[in-house]
Each structure stands twice: as structure tokens, then as C-alpha cells.
Amino acid sequence: MAARKHGVKRFFYASSACVYAADKQTNADVTALKESDAYPAMPEDGYGWEKLFSERMCRHFREDFGLITRVARYHNVLRPLWHL
């Protein structure tokens, strides 16, 4: 809503592979994931649901308000050292 209020024309959202169903992420030999593999939705609890919901909000803001949105689903992003 702040982007809309301040006249932002484009919005980028950094999403995550955690939007995909957890069972699609347990095997290292899995075939490459596609955008459509996020549905039917059963993402990682908490973080994955938040990311998937935010992707949907980007879509709704594009459809409802004309805000140009782009989403990237990152995989294998290095975590800070405190996660090790």
C-alpha cells in the first residue's frame, strides 16, 4: 500500500524456493522445478507460506492497481555464518 500511496511504478520481490512443496525438495535428483510446481500449494510452514502469499499480493497489485511487479524465486542462497 505504501508503494501505491507514493506512486511507485515498479516493484521487485525476492521470493524463495521454499514456496514449493516440501516433498519436491527432499531428493537431490529431482527434476528441475517450474513456476507451476508451487501449486497445489503446500510450502514450507511459516516462511514458505509467507513468500507464496507475498507473490500472490504482487500479482493482485499488478491486476488491481497496475503496479509492475517482478518476482524471483531464489535457490541455494548462502546464509549468514550464524546459521552454520
Side-chain angles (χ1 to χ4, degrees):
M1 294 305 289
R4 182 172 176 237
K5 177 181 175 182
H6 294 284
V8 171
K9 302 290 184 215
R10 295 179 297 163
F11 184 83
F12 175 78
Y13 182 70
S15 191
S16 168
C18 290
V19 302
Y20 297 109
D23 66 340
K24 293 185 182 281
Q25 301 182 57
T26 57
N27 183 348
D29 295 324
V30 69
T31 55
L33 295 168
K34 316 179 287 296
E35 287 183 41
S36 60
D37 287 332
Y39 295 94
M42 189 49 87
E44 179 181 285
D45 192 36
Y47 182 76
W49 278 111
E50 181 274 327
K51 290 295 190 178
L52 190 58
F53 176 80
S54 295
E55 287 185 16
R56 294 183 66 88
M57 290 301 295
C58 286
R59 188 188 80 201
H60 290 297
F61 268 72
R62 182 179 64 248
E63 292 170 353
D64 296 346
F65 306 118
L67 178 64
I68 297 169
T69 60
R70 299 290 184 264
V71 174
R73 290 182 183 159
Y74 291 104
H75 299 250
N76 297 324
V77 176
L78 182 63
R79 294 181 174 183
L81 292 177
W82 57 268
H83 280 284
L84 300 177

